[in-house]
Amino acid sequence: MALGRKYAHNRPMRLAPAPGGRPADDERTSPEPLATMYVCPMHPEVVRDRPGACPVCGMALEPHAASGPEESPELADMTRRLVVSAALNVPLLVLAMGGMAARHAFGPRTLAWIELGLATPVALWAGWPFFQRGWESVVHASPNMFTLIAIGVGTSWGYSVVAALAPGIFPVSFRGPDGDVALYFEAAGVITTLVLLGQVLELRARRRTGDAVRALLGLAPKTARVVRPDGTEEDVPLAHVHVGDRLRVRPGEKIPVDGVVLEGRSTVDESMLTGEPLPVEKTAGGRVTGGTVNGTGSFVMRAERVGSETLLAQIVRMVGEAQRSRAPIQRLADVVASYFVPAVLVVTAGTFAAWSVVGPEPRMAHALVNAVAVLIIACPCALGLATPMSVMVAVGRGAAAGVLVRDAEVLEVLEKVDTLVVDKTGTLTEGGPELVSITATGDTGEDELLRLAAGLERASEHPLATAIVAGARARGVEPAPAGTFRSITGKGVTGVVGRRSVALGNRALLDELGVDPGDLGTRAEALRREGQTVVLVAIDGRVAGLLGVTDPIKPSTPEALAALRAERVRVVMVSGDSRATAEAVAGRLGIDEVFADVLPREKGEIVARLQAEGHVVAVAGDGINDAPALARANVGIAMGNGADVALESAGVTLVRGDLRGIVRARRLSRRAMRNIRQNLFFAFVYNVLGIPVAAGVLYPLAGLTLSPMLASAAMSLSSVSVIANALRLRTAPL
């Protein structure tokens, strides 16, 4: 656990394709890293290229992002030591419990040598890792749980060795009524065995915290079926798939990489990435994600992202980083921990002194036993594990539900959010505008108007241009070839189509060109009130008509907003669209607060104003223009189908691009923080109650003391209990 150390924050991982050309083959084999790196679960800055123990807290290092071997080398080693120590401890305990019968059967000296022979391998070989870590804690000036264990076991075993080999050197205060010096070999052996048992149970439980990530890793298939240019097909290892390759996906197969459907149709089960149980229909032009499962149809796709660039690979990396991050609530445990072990050593010394002065005979023997019990029961492992274990499980649970949390701080802040700022396009709506209305005036017919407008818009990459071109072709109108083209920022486009001068844009563009919209201005305003975005068209210097484009509201949006209102979250819509269009959408969704005609920088200013009013603000968006607001918010929430820069700026990514994911994210946050608080409470109470009992405060009242063996059992169970509580998050309903 942390003891007065400063921790470096992990560099957040991108959930976006890496820039540049095609990656090397060895980068495309799988989402896993080339070499397994090991990291401390409580000190993410400690990273090693081999298994071992953390030099700060002594805990076993884990494979980074749960990508290492299924069986931990540390777990295998501790299990082996546990088996040997348990086998030797059985006869050791039998002899110790035999009391006078054993002494008569073997004689005091022979019995002492037998116990020495049984306990020494347990303490020195089976318990050697604890001595190593205890020594390293002294070298690194970072006392931890292994400092206390090493002192406790070493004191019990060392004292007993001296008592067995040279009993005559001990004064009367160390001797019992029969004049013999008590031996505590069984205490040293049992403590070692129980601590080993606790380590084995803890390591096994910690492996389960990475089950969600390992499940994601298991989604990636090992091979893909490549369609060659000559039409032949061949199954090849995933490492040999390149960007641009044509791949066939047969019924029931896992989709190998991210790409787009070229031909065929099917339904795809994306539940393992999005948390949504219903399969999604895919036709030509539809995007598919590696690791998802094809249904009963067959299709050919083009590979667009492979290896480390796939969404699955990036999710695995992002979740791994988030699992190693530290929540602000951990600072409480860190502050306590920085004073804890030194304080325990002081209490141990006080316990020894008190029992040696006022305790019953043999005073020194009682002083030793109770001091060792304090050392063992005070081991702060449960306190150190309380937060990171819950964070690891919660982040993995979120990933399984399509909610990617960038770091633990976001997980903590999310439950406090009381205001949600949402962008309209791509967040509340589908983000894919559709041409829904055409109005022509004068001698220009609708088809001709659409042919010329679509011809000019073919040169534009604006979503409205794409909708107009797609709408023309859907109506059987082929766009006319365009000549010159000029884009006027914030107003529209102009150019020459055939031999005609064409302009498309808003009222400001027509005013700049000196074109009077006439009665179309009224018609345009009416369409805006219906939620349509209106594009005015001028041909040869005269208004010729208008095109109405709308962005359909996502079917899940009303349900998500209702759930957020039920949780008393204030919803504010911020949009760059005209006020009429924005208010029309807000009216259908029951959103009362609307900011329209907002520039990207102004979105960040709105968030700042809300924060200045004392609100904890989350921002949900998907576009480049949302990035400033996402970065400024207390929690930025990016829709997984959005722009890469939006994903970069966000603390939470919703893989599905569905606002219901925000509801799931808040539920995850509440459950995770409640779990962490339960763990911290249990750890604090355990130490607050356990240390005084071990020190002997109940002895004057009830004659009760706590043996070192019971103390070690309680210490081990406390750590396992904390992890078991954290593991409950794996099945938490979201």
Side-chain angles (χ1 to χ4, degrees):
M1 64 176 275
L3 294 166
R5 291 289 194 213
K6 299 293 185 183
Y7 302 101
H9 290 288
N10 290 316
R11 180 172 60 87
M13 300 300 295
R14 299 184 72 233
L15 188 68
R22 175 183 296 177
D25 281 349
D26 58 358
E27 294 177 346
R28 299 193 307 271
T29 55
S30 74
E32 300 180 21
L34 293 178
T36 299
M37 302 302 291
Y38 293 83
V39 63
C40 176
M42 289 189 290
H43 298 83
E45 74 275 16
V46 176
V47 181
R48 298 287 185 269
D49 60 357
R50 61 181 62 89
C54 172
V56 179
C57 67
M59 291 192 68
L61 302 180
E62 296 180 342
H64 190 276
S67 58
E70 187 66 27
E71 189 65 28
S72 163
E74 183 77 15
L75 176 57
D77 180 62
M78 288 292 181
T79 302
R80 183 169 56 251
R81 294 176 188 273
L82 172 62
V83 171
V84 173
S85 65
L88 293 173
N89 257 307
V90 171
L92 182 61
L93 273 175
V94 170
L95 291 174
M97 294 172 64
M100 294 302 297
R103 292 168 63 84
H104 288 309
F106 296 99
R109 299 295 298 158
T110 303
L111 181 62
W113 281 96
I114 293 174
E115 290 185 359
L116 173 62
L118 292 171
T120 298
V122 175
L124 297 189
W125 178 79
W128 183 247
F130 307 146
F131 289 110
Q132 276 186 316
R133 297 174 188 184
W135 174 249
E136 287 179 1
S137 72
V138 175
V139 171
H140 292 283
S142 179
N144 54 51
M145 63 171 285
F146 294 103
T147 313
L148 304 181
I149 292 172
I151 294 174
V153 174
T155 301
S156 301
W157 179 82
Y159 167 84
S160 300
V161 169
V162 176
L165 299 180
I169 68 173
F170 287 87
V172 175
S173 58
F174 282 87
R175 300 178 182 274
D178 56 1
D180 292 332
V181 180
L183 302 179
Y184 299 103
F185 284 122
E186 80 283 359
V190 171
I191 289 172
T192 301
T193 303
L194 288 173
V195 174
L196 283 169
L197 175 62
Q199 288 290 294
V200 169
L201 295 175
E202 178 186 314
L203 287 167
R204 286 182 177 174
R206 279 165 55 187
R207 290 292 292 171
R208 293 172 63 191
T209 63
D211 284 351
V213 178
R214 276 187 291 275
L216 288 173
L217 287 169
L219 295 178
K222 305 302 181 185
T223 62
R225 191 168 186 83
V226 176
V227 181
R228 302 298 184 191
D230 61 2
T232 60
E233 299 181 5
E234 178 185 3
D235 289 328
V236 300
L238 204 58
H240 297 164
V241 176
H242 301 87
V243 173
D245 283 351
R246 298 171 73 241
L247 309 174
R248 180 174 297 281
V249 183
R250 292 168 292 190
E253 290 184 334
K254 291 181 179 179
I255 296 171
V257 297
D258 299 358
V260 62
V261 177
L262 297 178
E263 55 186 73
R265 65 187 302 149
S266 183
T267 56
V268 175
D269 180 1
E270 298 180 339
S271 60
M272 63 286 296
L273 291 180
T274 66
E276 293 297 325
L278 296 178
V280 181
E281 185 174 1
K282 302 292 182 180
T283 57
R287 308 197 68 82
V288 290
T289 304
T292 55
V293 180
N294 184 28
T296 57
S298 175
F299 59 86
V300 175
M301 62 174 287
R302 181 178 65 248
E304 293 192 342
R305 294 184 183 182
V306 300
S308 61
E309 294 182 357
T310 63
L311 176 64
L312 178 61
Q314 293 178 69
I315 288 175
V316 169
R317 287 197 301 271
M318 184 177 177
V319 171
E321 292 296 329
Q323 287 184 329
R324 308 301 176 191
S325 62
R326 299 175 61 79
I329 197 173
Q330 178 69 18
R331 295 171 191 152
L332 174 63
D334 289 347
V335 170
V336 174
S338 63
Y339 300 101
F340 190 80
V341 174
V344 169
L345 294 175
V346 172
V347 172
T348 301
T351 300
F352 185 88
W355 279 87
S356 63
V357 173
V358 299
E361 295 292 348
R363 291 194 301 273
M364 298 305 292
H366 281 94
L368 176 68
V369 170
N370 285 281
V372 169
V374 171
L375 286 171
I376 298 302
I377 202 168
C379 286
C381 186
L383 184 61
L385 289 170
T387 298
M389 291 299 104
S390 295
V391 169
M392 289 180 69
V393 180
V395 170
R397 176 69 183 94
V403 178
L404 305 183
V405 179
R406 186 172 293 278
D407 57 46
E409 183 173 359
V410 170
L411 194 65
E412 181 170 341
V413 174
L414 196 56
E415 71 164 351
K416 304 172 185 176
V417 167
D418 59 14
T419 302
L420 174 65
V421 175
V422 292
D423 177 50
K424 179 180 74 69
T425 305
T427 303
L428 298 174
T429 64
E430 295 286 1
E434 298 176 2
L435 179 64
V436 293
S437 62
I438 306 170
T439 302
T441 62
D443 298 332
T444 305
E446 289 187 358
D447 286 353
E448 179 65 9
L449 177 74
L450 190 54
R451 189 178 74 88
L452 296 174
L456 183 61
E457 291 285 31
R458 278 201 305 184
S460 174
E461 295 181 353
H462 194 281
L464 292 179
T466 303
I468 292 171
V469 174
R473 288 177 171 156
R475 290 166 172 79
V477 176
E478 183 61 28
T484 60
F485 173 86
R486 183 167 72 100
S487 175
I488 303 174
T489 303
K491 296 181 180 180
V493 296
T494 63
V496 176
V497 181
R499 296 183 179 181
R500 309 190 71 174
S501 175
V502 181
L504 281 81
N506 54 23
R507 177 66 180 267
L509 176 64
L510 267 61
D511 290 343
E512 182 177 308
L513 298 176
V515 177
D516 181 10
D519 294 339
L520 281 181
T522 304
R523 171 63 177 161
E525 188 61 29
L527 292 177
R528 291 190 188 101
R529 285 194 295 271
E530 295 175 6
Q532 296 186 32
T533 299
V534 176
V535 179
L536 296 168
V537 183
I539 300 175
D540 295 332
R542 296 176 59 187
V543 67
L546 58 77
L547 304 175
V549 177
T550 189
D551 186 3
I553 294 173
K554 293 179 179 178
S556 60
T557 297
E559 176 188 342
L561 293 178
L564 289 167
R565 292 190 191 98
E567 296 183 4
R568 298 184 179 180
V569 176
R570 171 188 180 190
V571 180
V572 179
M573 190 176 85
V574 178
S575 175
D577 278 349
S578 68
R579 174 158 295 278
T581 301
E583 288 183 345
V585 173
R588 291 204 295 270
L589 293 173
I591 298 175
D592 297 327
E593 296 182 73
V594 180
F595 293 87
D597 296 311
V598 176
L599 298 175
R601 62 176 177 79
E602 294 174 335
K603 290 186 178 182
E605 294 170 359
I606 292 171
V607 172
R609 286 203 302 271
L610 292 169
Q611 290 171 326
E613 295 172 3
H615 297 289
V616 180
V617 182
V619 173
D622 74 327
I624 293 174
N625 61 341
D626 299 317
L630 289 169
R632 186 64 182 261
N634 298 96
V635 178
I637 302 172
M639 317 308 282
N641 54 352
D644 294 342
V645 68
L647 302 178
E648 282 289 326
S649 305
V652 175
T653 298
L654 307 180
V655 178
R656 179 73 172 176
D658 182 339
L659 276 183
R660 288 176 299 183
I662 298 178
V663 180
R664 289 196 290 268
R666 281 176 51 81
R667 290 172 183 164
L668 176 69
S669 173
R670 286 197 300 271
R671 285 171 170 79
M673 296 313 300
R674 183 166 61 243
N675 192 273
I676 289 172
R677 294 183 188 106
Q678 291 168 350
N679 282 346
L680 288 173
F681 175 80
F682 176 80
F684 280 129
V685 169
Y686 162 79
N687 283 300
V688 167
L689 297 179
I691 292 175
V693 172
V697 296
L698 296 180
Y699 185 79
L701 301 175
L704 296 177
T705 59
L706 187 67
S707 75
M709 292 180 285
L710 288 177
S712 61
M715 181 270 294
S716 298
L717 289 175
S718 70
S719 300
V720 175
S721 298
V722 164
I723 298 177
N725 187 49
L727 287 173
R728 292 192 306 114
L729 290 171
R730 295 194 311 166
T731 56
L734 300 180

mmCIF file of all heavy atoms in Angstrom, residues 631-656:
data_model
loop_
_atom_site.group_PDB
_atom_site.id
_atom_site.type_symbol
_atom_site.label_atom_id
_atom_site.label_comp_id
_atom_site.label_asym_id
_atom_site.label_seq_id
_atom_site.Cartn_x
_atom_site.Cartn_y
_atom_site.Cartn_z
ATOM 1 N N ALA A 631 -13.408 19.233 -22.978
ATOM 2 C CA ALA A 631 -12.205 19.416 -22.173
ATOM 3 C C ALA A 631 -12.471 20.298 -20.962
ATOM 4 O O ALA A 631 -11.847 20.117 -19.910
ATOM 5 C CB ALA A 631 -11.101 20.024 -23.037
ATOM 6 N N ARG A 632 -13.379 21.247 -21.074
ATOM 7 C CA ARG A 632 -13.660 22.185 -19.985
ATOM 8 C C ARG A 632 -14.560 21.576 -18.914
ATOM 9 O O ARG A 632 -14.514 21.970 -17.743
ATOM 10 C CB ARG A 632 -14.341 23.437 -20.564
ATOM 11 C CG ARG A 632 -14.568 24.559 -19.550
ATOM 12 C CD ARG A 632 -13.241 25.084 -19.032
ATOM 13 N NE ARG A 632 -13.422 26.113 -18.031
ATOM 14 C CZ ARG A 632 -13.343 27.425 -18.299
ATOM 15 N NH1 ARG A 632 -13.094 27.827 -19.543
ATOM 16 N NH2 ARG A 632 -13.481 28.312 -17.344
ATOM 17 N N ALA A 633 -15.372 20.623 -19.275
ATOM 18 C CA ALA A 633 -16.358 20.059 -18.355
ATOM 19 C C ALA A 633 -15.696 19.293 -17.218
ATOM 20 O O ALA A 633 -14.541 18.869 -17.310
ATOM 21 C CB ALA A 633 -17.297 19.132 -19.118
ATOM 22 N N ASN A 634 -16.436 19.122 -16.130
ATOM 23 C CA ASN A 634 -15.965 18.248 -15.057
ATOM 24 C C ASN A 634 -15.834 16.818 -15.547
ATOM 25 O O ASN A 634 -14.912 16.093 -15.163
ATOM 26 C CB ASN A 634 -16.937 18.301 -13.878
ATOM 27 C CG ASN A 634 -17.050 19.683 -13.282
ATOM 28 O OD1 ASN A 634 -17.954 20.437 -13.626
ATOM 29 N ND2 ASN A 634 -16.129 20.051 -12.413
ATOM 30 N N VAL A 635 -16.782 16.406 -16.414
ATOM 31 C CA VAL A 635 -16.711 15.098 -17.072
ATOM 32 C C VAL A 635 -17.124 15.278 -18.521
ATOM 33 O O VAL A 635 -18.233 15.740 -18.807
ATOM 34 C CB VAL A 635 -17.642 14.057 -16.404
ATOM 35 C CG1 VAL A 635 -17.569 12.729 -17.160
ATOM 36 C CG2 VAL A 635 -17.283 13.858 -14.947
ATOM 37 N N GLY A 636 -16.227 14.940 -19.447
ATOM 38 C CA GLY A 636 -16.562 14.949 -20.864
ATOM 39 C C GLY A 636 -16.998 13.569 -21.299
ATOM 40 O O GLY A 636 -16.355 12.571 -20.965
ATOM 41 N N ILE A 637 -18.108 13.515 -22.036
ATOM 42 C CA ILE A 637 -18.661 12.226 -22.472
ATOM 43 C C ILE A 637 -18.727 12.234 -23.993
ATOM 44 O O ILE A 637 -19.459 13.038 -24.582
ATOM 45 C CB ILE A 637 -20.058 11.987 -21.883
ATOM 46 C CG1 ILE A 637 -20.000 12.044 -20.348
ATOM 47 C CG2 ILE A 637 -20.618 10.647 -22.342
ATOM 48 C CD1 ILE A 637 -21.361 12.001 -19.680
ATOM 49 N N ALA A 638 -17.947 11.366 -24.630
ATOM 50 C CA ALA A 638 -17.900 11.315 -26.089
ATOM 51 C C ALA A 638 -18.730 10.152 -26.602
ATOM 52 O O ALA A 638 -18.716 9.057 -26.035
ATOM 53 C CB ALA A 638 -16.455 11.176 -26.578
ATOM 54 N N MET A 639 -19.449 10.405 -27.673
ATOM 55 C CA MET A 639 -20.191 9.340 -28.331
ATOM 56 C C MET A 639 -19.192 8.540 -29.169
ATOM 57 O O MET A 639 -18.391 9.106 -29.919
ATOM 58 C CB MET A 639 -21.293 9.907 -29.219
ATOM 59 C CG MET A 639 -22.079 11.050 -28.570
ATOM 60 S SD MET A 639 -22.725 10.658 -26.919
ATOM 61 C CE MET A 639 -24.142 9.674 -27.374
ATOM 62 N N GLY A 640 -19.219 7.229 -29.046
ATOM 63 C CA GLY A 640 -18.217 6.389 -29.691
ATOM 64 C C GLY A 640 -18.198 6.471 -31.193
ATOM 65 O O GLY A 640 -17.212 6.089 -31.832
ATOM 66 N N ASN A 641 -19.258 6.982 -31.815
ATOM 67 C CA ASN A 641 -19.291 7.120 -33.269
ATOM 68 C C ASN A 641 -18.851 8.507 -33.709
ATOM 69 O O ASN A 641 -19.067 8.901 -34.846
ATOM 70 C CB ASN A 641 -20.709 6.851 -33.792
ATOM 71 C CG ASN A 641 -21.751 7.720 -33.087
ATOM 72 O OD1 ASN A 641 -21.447 8.409 -32.119
ATOM 73 N ND2 ASN A 641 -22.977 7.666 -33.573
ATOM 74 N N GLY A 642 -18.219 9.274 -32.806
ATOM 75 C CA GLY A 642 -17.879 10.658 -33.101
ATOM 76 C C GLY A 642 -16.468 10.844 -33.616
ATOM 77 O O GLY A 642 -15.764 9.906 -33.958
ATOM 78 N N ALA A 643 -16.060 12.121 -33.643
ATOM 79 C CA ALA A 643 -14.743 12.484 -34.151
ATOM 80 C C ALA A 643 -13.660 12.079 -33.165
ATOM 81 O O ALA A 643 -13.860 12.059 -31.958
ATOM 82 C CB ALA A 643 -14.693 14.000 -34.390
ATOM 83 N N ASP A 644 -12.468 11.778 -33.702
ATOM 84 C CA ASP A 644 -11.369 11.337 -32.856
ATOM 85 C C ASP A 644 -10.993 12.380 -31.809
ATOM 86 O O ASP A 644 -10.687 12.051 -30.668
ATOM 87 C CB ASP A 644 -10.143 11.033 -33.723
ATOM 88 C CG ASP A 644 -10.389 9.840 -34.633
ATOM 89 O OD1 ASP A 644 -11.317 9.072 -34.357
ATOM 90 O OD2 ASP A 644 -9.653 9.708 -35.633
ATOM 91 N N VAL A 645 -11.017 13.673 -32.188
ATOM 92 C CA VAL A 645 -10.618 14.709 -31.234
ATOM 93 C C VAL A 645 -11.614 14.794 -30.090
ATOM 94 O O VAL A 645 -11.255 15.110 -28.956
ATOM 95 C CB VAL A 645 -10.464 16.072 -31.943
ATOM 96 C CG1 VAL A 645 -11.812 16.596 -32.430
ATOM 97 C CG2 VAL A 645 -9.806 17.092 -31.021
ATOM 98 N N ALA A 646 -12.884 14.503 -30.345
ATOM 99 C CA ALA A 646 -13.874 14.474 -29.265
ATOM 100 C C ALA A 646 -13.570 13.327 -28.311
ATOM 101 O O ALA A 646 -13.646 13.472 -27.087
ATOM 102 C CB ALA A 646 -15.283 14.336 -29.839
ATOM 103 N N LEU A 647 -13.204 12.170 -28.842
ATOM 104 C CA LEU A 647 -12.859 11.028 -28.008
ATOM 105 C C LEU A 647 -11.625 11.333 -27.175
ATOM 106 O O LEU A 647 -11.501 10.903 -26.031
ATOM 107 C CB LEU A 647 -12.620 9.799 -28.882
ATOM 108 C CG LEU A 647 -13.789 9.366 -29.783
ATOM 109 C CD1 LEU A 647 -13.386 8.166 -30.624
ATOM 110 C CD2 LEU A 647 -15.011 9.041 -28.967
ATOM 111 N N GLU A 648 -10.668 12.074 -27.756
ATOM 112 C CA GLU A 648 -9.454 12.445 -27.042
ATOM 113 C C GLU A 648 -9.761 13.344 -25.853
ATOM 114 O O GLU A 648 -9.072 13.303 -24.841
ATOM 115 C CB GLU A 648 -8.501 13.186 -27.998
ATOM 116 C CG GLU A 648 -7.741 12.294 -28.938
ATOM 117 C CD GLU A 648 -6.681 11.493 -28.223
ATOM 118 O OE1 GLU A 648 -6.085 11.993 -27.261
ATOM 119 O OE2 GLU A 648 -6.461 10.347 -28.608
ATOM 120 N N SER A 649 -10.767 14.196 -25.976
ATOM 121 C CA SER A 649 -11.052 15.209 -24.962
ATOM 122 C C SER A 649 -11.953 14.692 -23.853
ATOM 123 O O SER A 649 -12.165 15.402 -22.869
ATOM 124 C CB SER A 649 -11.719 16.428 -25.622
ATOM 125 O OG SER A 649 -10.936 16.922 -26.683
ATOM 126 N N ALA A 650 -12.484 13.499 -23.999
ATOM 127 C CA ALA A 650 -13.521 13.019 -23.086
ATOM 128 C C ALA A 650 -12.956 12.130 -21.989
ATOM 129 O O ALA A 650 -11.934 11.476 -22.154
ATOM 130 C CB ALA A 650 -14.587 12.255 -23.866
ATOM 131 N N GLY A 651 -13.660 12.120 -20.841
ATOM 132 C CA GLY A 651 -13.312 11.213 -19.756
ATOM 133 C C GLY A 651 -14.076 9.914 -19.831
ATOM 134 O O GLY A 651 -13.668 8.909 -19.269
ATOM 135 N N VAL A 652 -15.225 9.937 -20.529
ATOM 136 C CA VAL A 652 -16.049 8.741 -20.718
ATOM 137 C C VAL A 652 -16.381 8.633 -22.197
ATOM 138 O O VAL A 652 -16.697 9.636 -22.843
ATOM 139 C CB VAL A 652 -17.355 8.818 -19.898
ATOM 140 C CG1 VAL A 652 -18.252 7.627 -20.192
ATOM 141 C CG2 VAL A 652 -17.059 8.900 -18.408
ATOM 142 N N THR A 653 -16.280 7.441 -22.738
ATOM 143 C CA THR A 653 -16.678 7.192 -24.121
ATOM 144 C C THR A 653 -17.794 6.155 -24.133
ATOM 145 O O THR A 653 -17.664 5.092 -23.520
ATOM 146 C CB THR A 653 -15.493 6.691 -24.968
ATOM 147 O OG1 THR A 653 -14.481 7.700 -24.997
ATOM 148 C CG2 THR A 653 -15.940 6.402 -26.396
ATOM 149 N N LEU A 654 -18.879 6.481 -24.812
ATOM 150 C CA LEU A 654 -19.995 5.546 -24.958
ATOM 151 C C LEU A 654 -19.836 4.843 -26.293
ATOM 152 O O LEU A 654 -20.006 5.455 -27.351
ATOM 153 C CB LEU A 654 -21.330 6.296 -24.904
ATOM 154 C CG LEU A 654 -21.533 7.203 -23.676
ATOM 155 C CD1 LEU A 654 -22.890 7.889 -23.747
ATOM 156 C CD2 LEU A 654 -21.394 6.412 -22.384
ATOM 157 N N VAL A 655 -19.469 3.575 -26.256
ATOM 158 C CA VAL A 655 -19.167 2.837 -27.481
ATOM 159 C C VAL A 655 -20.344 2.851 -28.437
ATOM 160 O O VAL A 655 -20.194 2.989 -29.652
ATOM 161 C CB VAL A 655 -18.761 1.386 -27.145
ATOM 162 C CG1 VAL A 655 -18.503 0.595 -28.418
ATOM 163 C CG2 VAL A 655 -17.512 1.384 -26.273
ATOM 164 N N ARG A 656 -21.531 2.758 -27.897
ATOM 165 C CA ARG A 656 -22.735 2.678 -28.723
ATOM 166 C C ARG A 656 -23.127 4.038 -29.291
ATOM 167 O O ARG A 656 -23.847 4.127 -30.277
ATOM 168 C CB ARG A 656 -23.879 2.114 -27.875
ATOM 169 C CG ARG A 656 -25.203 1.988 -28.599
ATOM 170 C CD ARG A 656 -25.186 0.860 -29.594
ATOM 171 N NE ARG A 656 -26.505 0.611 -30.150
ATOM 172 C CZ ARG A 656 -26.751 -0.261 -31.100
ATOM 173 N NH1 ARG A 656 -25.758 -0.971 -31.588
ATOM 174 N NH2 ARG A 656 -27.969 -0.446 -31.556
#
